[in-house]
Short mmCIF file of all heavy atoms in Angstrom, two decimals:
data_model
loop_
_atom_site.label_atom_id
_atom_site.label_comp_id
_atom_site.label_asym_id
_atom_site.label_seq_id
_atom_site.Cartn_x
_atom_site.Cartn_y
_atom_site.Cartn_z
N ILE A 1432 -12.45 -0.66 8.86
CA ILE A 1432 -11.07 -0.82 9.33
C ILE A 1432 -10.70 -2.31 9.34
O ILE A 1432 -9.60 -2.68 8.92
CB ILE A 1432 -10.90 -0.20 10.73
CG1 ILE A 1432 -10.92 1.33 10.59
CG2 ILE A 1432 -9.58 -0.64 11.36
CD1 ILE A 1432 -10.66 2.07 11.86
N GLU A 1433 -11.62 -3.16 9.83
CA GLU A 1433 -11.35 -4.59 9.79
C GLU A 1433 -11.18 -5.08 8.36
O GLU A 1433 -10.33 -5.91 8.07
CB GLU A 1433 -12.50 -5.36 10.46
CG GLU A 1433 -12.61 -5.14 11.96
CD GLU A 1433 -11.44 -5.72 12.72
OE1 GLU A 1433 -10.82 -6.68 12.22
OE2 GLU A 1433 -11.12 -5.21 13.80
N HIS A 1434 -11.98 -4.50 7.46
CA HIS A 1434 -11.93 -4.91 6.07
C HIS A 1434 -10.59 -4.56 5.42
O HIS A 1434 -10.11 -5.26 4.53
CB HIS A 1434 -13.07 -4.24 5.31
CG HIS A 1434 -13.22 -4.70 3.89
ND1 HIS A 1434 -12.98 -3.89 2.81
CD2 HIS A 1434 -13.55 -5.91 3.37
CE1 HIS A 1434 -13.17 -4.56 1.69
NE2 HIS A 1434 -13.53 -5.77 2.00
N LEU A 1435 -9.97 -3.46 5.88
CA LEU A 1435 -8.73 -3.01 5.27
C LEU A 1435 -7.56 -3.94 5.56
O LEU A 1435 -6.53 -3.86 4.88
CB LEU A 1435 -8.40 -1.59 5.73
CG LEU A 1435 -9.31 -0.50 5.14
CD1 LEU A 1435 -8.97 0.85 5.73
CD2 LEU A 1435 -9.21 -0.47 3.63
N GLN A 1436 -7.71 -4.81 6.58
CA GLN A 1436 -6.64 -5.78 6.79
C GLN A 1436 -6.54 -6.74 5.60
O GLN A 1436 -5.46 -7.25 5.29
CB GLN A 1436 -6.86 -6.56 8.08
CG GLN A 1436 -8.04 -7.53 8.05
CD GLN A 1436 -8.19 -8.27 9.36
OE1 GLN A 1436 -7.23 -8.46 10.08
NE2 GLN A 1436 -9.41 -8.68 9.67
N ASP A 1437 -7.67 -6.96 4.91
CA ASP A 1437 -7.66 -7.82 3.74
C ASP A 1437 -6.85 -7.20 2.60
O ASP A 1437 -6.36 -7.92 1.72
CB ASP A 1437 -9.09 -8.08 3.25
CG ASP A 1437 -9.89 -8.91 4.24
OD1 ASP A 1437 -9.26 -9.53 5.12
OD2 ASP A 1437 -11.13 -8.94 4.15
N ALA A 1438 -6.73 -5.87 2.60
CA ALA A 1438 -5.94 -5.22 1.55
C ALA A 1438 -4.50 -5.71 1.58
O ALA A 1438 -3.86 -5.83 0.53
CB ALA A 1438 -5.97 -3.70 1.74
N TYR A 1439 -4.01 -6.03 2.76
CA TYR A 1439 -2.64 -6.54 2.88
C TYR A 1439 -2.62 -8.06 2.79
O TYR A 1439 -1.88 -8.63 1.98
CB TYR A 1439 -2.04 -6.11 4.23
CG TYR A 1439 -1.95 -4.61 4.40
CD1 TYR A 1439 -2.95 -3.91 5.04
CD2 TYR A 1439 -0.87 -3.90 3.89
CE1 TYR A 1439 -2.87 -2.53 5.18
CE2 TYR A 1439 -0.78 -2.53 4.04
CZ TYR A 1439 -1.79 -1.84 4.69
OH TYR A 1439 -1.71 -0.49 4.82
N ILE A 1440 -3.44 -8.73 3.60
CA ILE A 1440 -3.37 -10.19 3.72
C ILE A 1440 -3.87 -10.88 2.46
O ILE A 1440 -3.30 -11.90 2.03
CB ILE A 1440 -4.18 -10.66 4.95
CG1 ILE A 1440 -3.51 -10.15 6.23
CG2 ILE A 1440 -4.29 -12.17 4.98
CD1 ILE A 1440 -4.28 -10.47 7.49
N ARG A 1441 -4.93 -10.34 1.83
CA ARG A 1441 -5.55 -11.04 0.71
C ARG A 1441 -5.31 -10.39 -0.65
O ARG A 1441 -5.74 -10.92 -1.66
CB ARG A 1441 -7.06 -11.16 0.94
CG ARG A 1441 -7.40 -11.98 2.17
CD ARG A 1441 -8.88 -12.19 2.29
NE ARG A 1441 -9.23 -12.99 3.47
CZ ARG A 1441 -10.46 -13.31 3.83
NH1 ARG A 1441 -11.48 -12.90 3.09
NH2 ARG A 1441 -10.68 -14.01 4.92
N THR A 1442 -4.68 -9.23 -0.65
CA THR A 1442 -4.45 -8.56 -1.94
C THR A 1442 -2.98 -8.23 -2.16
O THR A 1442 -2.36 -8.75 -3.10
CB THR A 1442 -5.30 -7.28 -2.05
OG1 THR A 1442 -6.69 -7.63 -1.98
CG2 THR A 1442 -5.05 -6.56 -3.37
N ILE A 1443 -2.40 -7.39 -1.32
CA ILE A 1443 -1.03 -6.92 -1.56
C ILE A 1443 -0.03 -8.07 -1.46
O ILE A 1443 0.75 -8.32 -2.40
CB ILE A 1443 -0.68 -5.79 -0.58
CG1 ILE A 1443 -1.55 -4.56 -0.85
CG2 ILE A 1443 0.81 -5.42 -0.72
CD1 ILE A 1443 -1.34 -3.42 0.12
N PHE A 1444 -0.05 -8.79 -0.33
CA PHE A 1444 0.93 -9.88 -0.15
C PHE A 1444 0.78 -10.98 -1.19
O PHE A 1444 1.76 -11.35 -1.85
CB PHE A 1444 0.83 -10.46 1.26
CG PHE A 1444 1.17 -9.48 2.36
CD1 PHE A 1444 0.69 -9.66 3.64
CD2 PHE A 1444 1.98 -8.38 2.11
CE1 PHE A 1444 1.00 -8.76 4.65
CE2 PHE A 1444 2.30 -7.48 3.11
CZ PHE A 1444 1.81 -7.66 4.38
N PRO A 1445 -0.43 -11.54 -1.39
CA PRO A 1445 -0.56 -12.63 -2.39
C PRO A 1445 -0.21 -12.20 -3.81
O PRO A 1445 0.36 -12.99 -4.57
CB PRO A 1445 -2.05 -13.03 -2.29
CG PRO A 1445 -2.49 -12.56 -0.95
CD PRO A 1445 -1.72 -11.32 -0.69
N THR A 1446 -0.54 -10.96 -4.17
CA THR A 1446 -0.25 -10.50 -5.53
C THR A 1446 1.24 -10.39 -5.77
O THR A 1446 1.76 -10.82 -6.81
CB THR A 1446 -0.93 -9.13 -5.78
OG1 THR A 1446 -2.34 -9.26 -5.58
CG2 THR A 1446 -0.66 -8.66 -7.20
N ILE A 1447 1.97 -9.82 -4.80
CA ILE A 1447 3.43 -9.69 -4.96
C ILE A 1447 4.08 -11.07 -4.99
O ILE A 1447 4.97 -11.33 -5.80
CB ILE A 1447 4.01 -8.83 -3.83
CG1 ILE A 1447 3.47 -7.40 -3.92
CG2 ILE A 1447 5.54 -8.80 -3.90
CD1 ILE A 1447 3.90 -6.50 -2.79
N VAL A 1448 3.63 -11.96 -4.10
CA VAL A 1448 4.18 -13.33 -4.08
C VAL A 1448 3.91 -14.02 -5.41
O VAL A 1448 4.80 -14.70 -5.96
CB VAL A 1448 3.57 -14.13 -2.91
CG1 VAL A 1448 3.91 -15.61 -3.04
CG2 VAL A 1448 4.06 -13.60 -1.57
N ALA A 1449 2.71 -13.84 -5.96
CA ALA A 1449 2.37 -14.47 -7.25
C ALA A 1449 3.25 -13.94 -8.38
O ALA A 1449 3.68 -14.72 -9.25
CB ALA A 1449 0.89 -14.21 -7.57
N LEU A 1450 3.54 -12.65 -8.36
CA LEU A 1450 4.42 -12.09 -9.40
C LEU A 1450 5.83 -12.69 -9.31
O LEU A 1450 6.44 -13.02 -10.33
CB LEU A 1450 4.48 -10.57 -9.26
CG LEU A 1450 3.18 -9.82 -9.62
CD1 LEU A 1450 3.32 -8.33 -9.32
CD2 LEU A 1450 2.83 -10.03 -11.09
N PHE A 1451 6.34 -12.83 -8.08
CA PHE A 1451 7.65 -13.47 -7.90
C PHE A 1451 7.61 -14.91 -8.39
O PHE A 1451 8.55 -15.38 -9.05
CB PHE A 1451 8.06 -13.42 -6.43
CG PHE A 1451 8.73 -12.14 -6.03
CD1 PHE A 1451 8.12 -11.26 -5.18
CD2 PHE A 1451 9.99 -11.82 -6.53
CE1 PHE A 1451 8.73 -10.08 -4.80
CE2 PHE A 1451 10.61 -10.63 -6.17
CZ PHE A 1451 9.99 -9.75 -5.29
N LEU A 1452 6.54 -15.64 -8.07
CA LEU A 1452 6.41 -17.02 -8.51
C LEU A 1452 6.37 -17.11 -10.03
O LEU A 1452 6.98 -18.00 -10.64
CB LEU A 1452 5.13 -17.64 -7.93
CG LEU A 1452 5.21 -18.25 -6.54
CD1 LEU A 1452 3.84 -18.73 -6.10
CD2 LEU A 1452 6.20 -19.42 -6.51
N PHE A 1453 5.63 -16.20 -10.65
CA PHE A 1453 5.51 -16.17 -12.10
C PHE A 1453 6.89 -15.99 -12.74
O PHE A 1453 7.28 -16.75 -13.64
CB PHE A 1453 4.57 -15.05 -12.51
CG PHE A 1453 4.49 -14.82 -13.99
CD1 PHE A 1453 3.73 -15.66 -14.79
CD2 PHE A 1453 5.17 -13.77 -14.59
CE1 PHE A 1453 3.65 -15.46 -16.16
CE2 PHE A 1453 5.10 -13.55 -15.96
CZ PHE A 1453 4.34 -14.40 -16.74
N VAL A 1454 7.62 -14.97 -12.28
CA VAL A 1454 8.95 -14.70 -12.84
C VAL A 1454 9.89 -15.88 -12.59
O VAL A 1454 10.63 -16.31 -13.49
CB VAL A 1454 9.52 -13.40 -12.24
CG1 VAL A 1454 10.98 -13.20 -12.69
CG2 VAL A 1454 8.67 -12.21 -12.64
N PHE A 1455 9.86 -16.42 -11.37
CA PHE A 1455 10.75 -17.54 -11.02
C PHE A 1455 10.44 -18.77 -11.88
O PHE A 1455 11.37 -19.44 -12.38
CB PHE A 1455 10.59 -17.88 -9.54
CG PHE A 1455 11.36 -19.08 -9.10
CD1 PHE A 1455 12.73 -19.00 -8.84
CD2 PHE A 1455 10.74 -20.32 -8.94
CE1 PHE A 1455 13.45 -20.11 -8.44
CE2 PHE A 1455 11.44 -21.44 -8.55
CZ PHE A 1455 12.81 -21.34 -8.29
N SER A 1456 9.17 -19.09 -12.06
CA SER A 1456 8.78 -20.28 -12.81
C SER A 1456 9.18 -20.17 -14.27
O SER A 1456 9.77 -21.11 -14.85
CB SER A 1456 7.27 -20.49 -12.70
OG SER A 1456 6.87 -20.58 -11.34
N VAL A 1457 8.85 -19.03 -14.88
CA VAL A 1457 9.15 -18.84 -16.30
C VAL A 1457 10.66 -18.83 -16.53
O VAL A 1457 11.18 -19.44 -17.48
CB VAL A 1457 8.50 -17.55 -16.82
CG1 VAL A 1457 8.93 -17.27 -18.26
CG2 VAL A 1457 6.97 -17.66 -16.75
N THR A 1458 11.39 -18.14 -15.63
CA THR A 1458 12.85 -18.08 -15.76
C THR A 1458 13.48 -19.46 -15.62
O THR A 1458 14.38 -19.83 -16.39
CB THR A 1458 13.44 -17.12 -14.71
OG1 THR A 1458 12.83 -15.83 -14.85
CG2 THR A 1458 14.94 -17.00 -14.87
N SER A 1459 13.02 -20.23 -14.64
CA SER A 1459 13.57 -21.58 -14.42
C SER A 1459 13.29 -22.48 -15.61
O SER A 1459 14.16 -23.25 -16.05
CB SER A 1459 12.96 -22.19 -13.15
OG SER A 1459 13.25 -21.40 -12.02
#
């Protein structure tokens, strides 16, 4: 259960943020 917090903090959130950054950078 403690490990599953990493699914959000270290996987889901950073991955979505990175995709937004990728699109924003290339578009700019």
Side-chain angles (χ1 to χ4, degrees):
I1432 288 184
E1433 292 293 334
H1434 186 247
L1435 288 176
Q1436 69 180 333
D1437 293 344
Y1439 299 94
I1440 294 176
R1441 298 185 180 179
T1442 299
I1443 295 176
F1444 296 157
T1446 302
I1447 296 175
V1448 169
L1450 291 174
F1451 275 112
L1452 274 176
F1453 173 78
V1454 173
F1455 175 80
S1456 303
V1457 174
T1458 303
S1459 300

